[in-house]
Amino acid sequence: MNVAPGLFLTFEGIEGAGKTSNLQHAKDLIEASGKSVIVSREPGGTEVGEKIREVLLDPDLPAMHSDTELLLMFASRAEHYQHKILPALNDGNWVLCDRFSDASFAYQGGGRHIAIPRISALENWVLGEFRPDTTFLFDLPVNLGLSRAKARGAADRIEQEEAEFFEQIRRCYLDRAAKEPERFCLIDASQTLDAVRQQLGKAIQTLLDNSQG
Ligand code: Z5A
């Protein structure tokens, strides 16, 4: 639960789902209504977090234990939440974040099979009761997402996984969305970029209308 005056919106999905391509569009729409917007990402978002991100995504490092991967994700998140997200929300900004803790449940839980209660324990430790106001889940078939990501450039450490890993991640995201329909907004990301932007634009407009009370 976010009790700050600004809204916290997160963008989630498998590789190549179009989160990054659509974040800027969301920012433009919200800014056009006169609100101030901060865009960030995870892992990363702060100076310390970006260093942790380099370690997490480095394709030249030897295999990392899944617990190490999870703890580094949450170390980056603790820094991000305390030093950037919370202060920005308290100042009334809307914060748009490319991935957040749902990604830990999907990738480290669904993909790496870490028990969900262990991830929940870390989430509660680092965030207390704080959760995103809305999470946009960009959903599309794994083969389409991977082919888009591949066309864009060289794969990082996590992107080098097999398709089945991403199938498990997609299923985990969809399960979470089904369990929390009031927080998740499902976007059909298999459509053209224009059509995806239209879906996102409608959802953002609803948030803006509601925030103007
Ligand atoms: N990770 C984790 O494991 N646990 C955690 O807790 C967190 C993260 C927070 C870094 O994330 C990695 O960290 C990520 C999860 C893991 N795993 N990997 N690999 P990231 O967000 O920085 O990187 P990413 O997920 O790899 O992002 P991405 O592949 O860039 O996906 P995207 O942002 O959703 O897609 P995009 O860059 O907007 O689009 C990809 C390409 O498709 C691009 O060329 C676009 O022009 C094109 N595109 C986008 N939309 C369309 C449509 N609609 N039609 C056609 N083409 C399109």
Side-chain angles (χ1 to χ4, degrees), residues 12-22 41-43 53 57 69-70 73-74 77 98-105 107-108 138 145 148-149 151-152 156-160 165-166 173 189-194 196:
E12 298 280 1
I14 59 163
E15 328 309 305
K19 304 175 307 302
T20 314
S21 308
N22 285 287
R41 68 172 178 181
E42 288 207 355
R53 180 185 176 94
L57 300 186
E69 189 176 86
L70 177 69
M73 293 293 175
F74 271 97
R77 185 160 301 132
D98 196 338
R99 297 192 185 279
F100 196 60
S101 40
D102 290 299
S104 298
F105 286 95
Y107 280 76
Q108 283 66 53
F138 291 79
R148 283 184 191 167
R152 190 200 38 199
D156 64 37
R157 191 181 60 81
I158 298 174
E159 282 170 346
Q160 291 172 351
F165 174 77
F166 296 104
Y173 269 133
S190 67
Q191 298 184 6
T192 63
L193 197 48
D194 272 355
V196 172

Side-chain angles (χ1 to χ4, degrees), residues 1-6 90 130:
M1 187 183 34
N2 167 25
V3 293
N90 282 334
F130 177 84

